[in-house]
Short mmCIF file of all heavy atoms in Angstrom, two decimals:
data_model
loop_
_atom_site.label_atom_id
_atom_site.label_comp_id
_atom_site.label_asym_id
_atom_site.label_seq_id
_atom_site.Cartn_x
_atom_site.Cartn_y
_atom_site.Cartn_z
N THR N 16 -7.65 -10.49 16.81
CA THR N 16 -7.53 -9.02 16.70
C THR N 16 -6.13 -8.61 16.29
O THR N 16 -5.94 -7.77 15.41
CB THR N 16 -7.91 -8.35 18.02
OG1 THR N 16 -9.27 -8.71 18.36
CG2 THR N 16 -7.81 -6.85 17.93
N VAL N 17 -5.14 -9.20 16.95
CA VAL N 17 -3.74 -8.88 16.63
C VAL N 17 -3.42 -9.30 15.20
O VAL N 17 -2.75 -8.56 14.46
CB VAL N 17 -2.78 -9.59 17.62
CG1 VAL N 17 -1.33 -9.40 17.19
CG2 VAL N 17 -2.98 -9.05 19.03
N PHE N 18 -3.91 -10.49 14.80
CA PHE N 18 -3.64 -11.00 13.46
C PHE N 18 -4.16 -10.04 12.40
O PHE N 18 -3.46 -9.63 11.47
CB PHE N 18 -4.27 -12.37 13.29
CG PHE N 18 -4.17 -12.91 11.88
CD1 PHE N 18 -3.01 -13.52 11.43
CD2 PHE N 18 -5.22 -12.79 10.99
CE1 PHE N 18 -2.90 -14.01 10.14
CE2 PHE N 18 -5.13 -13.27 9.71
CZ PHE N 18 -3.96 -13.88 9.27
N PHE N 19 -5.44 -9.64 12.51
CA PHE N 19 -6.01 -8.77 11.52
C PHE N 19 -5.46 -7.35 11.58
O PHE N 19 -5.44 -6.63 10.57
CB PHE N 19 -7.55 -8.75 11.63
CG PHE N 19 -8.16 -10.01 11.08
CD1 PHE N 19 -8.70 -10.97 11.92
CD2 PHE N 19 -8.23 -10.21 9.71
CE1 PHE N 19 -9.27 -12.12 11.39
CE2 PHE N 19 -8.79 -11.36 9.16
CZ PHE N 19 -9.32 -12.33 10.02
N LEU N 20 -5.00 -6.96 12.76
CA LEU N 20 -4.30 -5.65 12.86
C LEU N 20 -3.00 -5.69 12.08
O LEU N 20 -2.65 -4.73 11.35
CB LEU N 20 -4.03 -5.31 14.32
CG LEU N 20 -3.41 -3.93 14.62
CD1 LEU N 20 -4.37 -2.82 14.15
CD2 LEU N 20 -3.10 -3.77 16.09
N LEU N 21 -2.26 -6.80 12.20
CA LEU N 21 -1.03 -6.96 11.42
C LEU N 21 -1.33 -7.05 9.92
O LEU N 21 -0.57 -6.53 9.09
CB LEU N 21 -0.30 -8.22 11.87
CG LEU N 21 0.28 -8.18 13.30
CD1 LEU N 21 0.88 -9.54 13.68
CD2 LEU N 21 1.30 -7.09 13.44
N VAL N 22 -2.44 -7.69 9.55
CA VAL N 22 -2.85 -7.74 8.16
C VAL N 22 -3.13 -6.33 7.62
O VAL N 22 -2.78 -5.98 6.50
CB VAL N 22 -4.10 -8.64 8.00
CG1 VAL N 22 -4.69 -8.49 6.58
CG2 VAL N 22 -3.76 -10.08 8.26
N LEU N 23 -3.74 -5.50 8.48
CA LEU N 23 -4.02 -4.12 8.09
C LEU N 23 -2.73 -3.38 7.78
O LEU N 23 -2.61 -2.69 6.74
CB LEU N 23 -4.78 -3.41 9.20
CG LEU N 23 -4.98 -1.89 9.03
CD1 LEU N 23 -5.81 -1.58 7.79
CD2 LEU N 23 -5.62 -1.29 10.29
N PHE N 24 -1.73 -3.50 8.68
CA PHE N 24 -0.45 -2.83 8.43
C PHE N 24 0.23 -3.38 7.19
O PHE N 24 0.88 -2.64 6.43
CB PHE N 24 0.46 -2.96 9.66
CG PHE N 24 0.00 -2.13 10.84
CD1 PHE N 24 -0.22 -2.69 12.08
CD2 PHE N 24 -0.20 -0.77 10.67
CE1 PHE N 24 -0.63 -1.94 13.16
CE2 PHE N 24 -0.62 0.01 11.75
CZ PHE N 24 -0.83 -0.56 13.00
N ALA N 25 0.15 -4.71 7.02
CA ALA N 25 0.75 -5.32 5.81
C ALA N 25 0.09 -4.80 4.55
O ALA N 25 0.75 -4.50 3.54
CB ALA N 25 0.64 -6.85 5.87
N ALA N 26 -1.23 -4.66 4.59
CA ALA N 26 -1.96 -4.13 3.43
C ALA N 26 -1.59 -2.68 3.15
O ALA N 26 -1.44 -2.28 1.98
CB ALA N 26 -3.47 -4.27 3.65
N LEU N 27 -1.43 -1.89 4.22
CA LEU N 27 -1.08 -0.48 4.04
C LEU N 27 0.30 -0.33 3.40
O LEU N 27 0.50 0.45 2.47
CB LEU N 27 -1.11 0.25 5.37
CG LEU N 27 -2.51 0.53 5.96
CD1 LEU N 27 -2.39 1.14 7.35
CD2 LEU N 27 -3.29 1.46 5.06
N THR N 28 1.28 -1.08 3.91
CA THR N 28 2.63 -0.98 3.36
C THR N 28 2.67 -1.51 1.92
O THR N 28 3.36 -0.91 1.07
CB THR N 28 3.63 -1.78 4.21
OG1 THR N 28 3.18 -3.13 4.36
CG2 THR N 28 3.75 -1.17 5.60
N SER N 29 1.91 -2.56 1.63
CA SER N 29 1.87 -3.08 0.25
C SER N 29 1.20 -2.08 -0.66
O SER N 29 1.61 -1.89 -1.82
CB SER N 29 1.13 -4.43 0.22
OG SER N 29 1.79 -5.40 0.97
N SER N 30 0.12 -1.47 -0.19
CA SER N 30 -0.59 -0.50 -1.02
C SER N 30 0.27 0.71 -1.36
O SER N 30 0.17 1.27 -2.46
CB SER N 30 -1.89 -0.05 -0.34
OG SER N 30 -1.62 0.70 0.84
N ILE N 31 1.14 1.11 -0.42
CA ILE N 31 2.05 2.23 -0.67
C ILE N 31 2.98 1.87 -1.87
O ILE N 31 3.18 2.69 -2.76
CB ILE N 31 2.86 2.57 0.57
CG1 ILE N 31 1.95 3.19 1.64
CG2 ILE N 31 4.01 3.54 0.24
CD1 ILE N 31 2.61 3.40 2.97
N SER N 32 3.49 0.65 -1.85
CA SER N 32 4.40 0.23 -2.93
C SER N 32 3.65 0.20 -4.25
O SER N 32 4.17 0.63 -5.29
CB SER N 32 4.96 -1.16 -2.62
OG SER N 32 5.73 -1.15 -1.43
N LEU N 33 2.44 -0.38 -4.24
CA LEU N 33 1.66 -0.49 -5.47
C LEU N 33 1.23 0.90 -5.98
O LEU N 33 1.32 1.18 -7.17
CB LEU N 33 0.43 -1.34 -5.21
CG LEU N 33 0.69 -2.83 -4.99
CD1 LEU N 33 -0.58 -3.51 -4.49
CD2 LEU N 33 1.17 -3.51 -6.26
N MET N 34 0.79 1.73 -5.06
CA MET N 34 0.29 3.03 -5.48
C MET N 34 1.42 3.96 -5.94
O MET N 34 1.20 4.82 -6.79
CB MET N 34 -0.50 3.68 -4.32
CG MET N 34 -1.79 2.94 -4.02
SD MET N 34 -2.58 3.47 -2.48
CE MET N 34 -3.11 5.12 -2.94
N GLU N 35 2.63 3.76 -5.40
CA GLU N 35 3.76 4.59 -5.84
C GLU N 35 4.03 4.40 -7.32
O GLU N 35 4.35 5.35 -8.04
CB GLU N 35 4.99 4.25 -5.01
CG GLU N 35 6.29 4.88 -5.53
CD GLU N 35 6.28 6.39 -5.50
OE1 GLU N 35 5.44 6.98 -4.76
OE2 GLU N 35 7.09 7.01 -6.22
N THR N 36 3.86 3.17 -7.80
CA THR N 36 4.06 2.90 -9.21
C THR N 36 3.08 3.68 -10.07
O THR N 36 3.46 4.32 -11.08
CB THR N 36 3.90 1.37 -9.50
OG1 THR N 36 4.83 0.67 -8.69
CG2 THR N 36 4.14 1.07 -10.96
N ILE N 37 1.81 3.63 -9.67
CA ILE N 37 0.76 4.35 -10.43
C ILE N 37 0.96 5.86 -10.34
O ILE N 37 0.80 6.58 -11.34
CB ILE N 37 -0.64 3.95 -9.92
CG1 ILE N 37 -0.79 2.44 -9.98
CG2 ILE N 37 -1.72 4.65 -10.73
CD1 ILE N 37 -2.08 1.93 -9.36
N VAL N 38 1.28 6.33 -9.14
CA VAL N 38 1.51 7.77 -8.94
C VAL N 38 2.66 8.24 -9.84
O VAL N 38 2.56 9.30 -10.48
CB VAL N 38 1.82 8.07 -7.46
CG1 VAL N 38 2.35 9.49 -7.30
CG2 VAL N 38 0.55 7.87 -6.61
N SER N 39 3.75 7.50 -9.88
CA SER N 39 4.89 7.90 -10.69
C SER N 39 4.54 7.95 -12.19
O SER N 39 5.00 8.85 -12.91
CB SER N 39 6.08 6.97 -10.46
OG SER N 39 5.78 5.65 -10.89
N VAL N 40 3.73 6.99 -12.65
CA VAL N 40 3.30 6.99 -14.04
C VAL N 40 2.42 8.20 -14.35
O VAL N 40 2.60 8.86 -15.38
CB VAL N 40 2.56 5.67 -14.38
CG1 VAL N 40 1.91 5.77 -15.77
CG2 VAL N 40 3.50 4.50 -14.31
N ILE N 41 1.47 8.51 -13.44
CA ILE N 41 0.61 9.67 -13.65
C ILE N 41 1.41 10.95 -13.67
O ILE N 41 1.17 11.85 -14.49
CB ILE N 41 -0.46 9.72 -12.53
CG1 ILE N 41 -1.45 8.55 -12.67
CG2 ILE N 41 -1.22 11.04 -12.56
CD1 ILE N 41 -2.50 8.47 -11.58
N MET N 42 2.40 11.04 -12.79
CA MET N 42 3.25 12.24 -12.76
C MET N 42 4.05 12.38 -14.05
O MET N 42 4.29 13.49 -14.53
CB MET N 42 4.19 12.19 -11.55
CG MET N 42 3.50 12.35 -10.22
SD MET N 42 4.62 12.07 -8.83
CE MET N 42 5.84 13.35 -9.09
N ASP N 43 4.47 11.25 -14.62
CA ASP N 43 5.25 11.29 -15.87
C ASP N 43 4.38 11.65 -17.07
O ASP N 43 4.84 12.31 -18.02
CB ASP N 43 5.92 9.95 -16.12
CG ASP N 43 7.07 9.68 -15.13
OD1 ASP N 43 7.55 10.66 -14.54
OD2 ASP N 43 7.43 8.50 -14.96
N LYS N 44 3.12 11.21 -17.06
CA LYS N 44 2.25 11.33 -18.24
C LYS N 44 1.29 12.52 -18.19
O LYS N 44 0.67 12.85 -19.20
CB LYS N 44 1.44 10.05 -18.44
CG LYS N 44 2.28 8.80 -18.61
CD LYS N 44 3.15 8.87 -19.85
CE LYS N 44 3.95 7.57 -20.05
NZ LYS N 44 4.80 7.65 -21.26
#
């Protein structure tokens, strides 16, 4: 349970980094 909870937080933080790139491109275009 702890392991997959940490995986969830890791996925959320990674998704923020990835999505910021796409968001910035959409805002520019």
Side-chain angles (χ1 to χ4, degrees):
T16 301
V17 173
F18 174 81
F19 284 107
L20 185 62
L21 293 175
V22 169
L23 172 63
F24 288 126
L27 286 175
T28 54
S29 297
S30 65
I31 291 172
S32 299
L33 291 168
M34 292 169 69
E35 170 62 20
T36 303
I37 305 173
V38 168
S39 64
V40 171
I41 291 177
M42 291 172 61
D43 290 340
K44 301 298 182 180

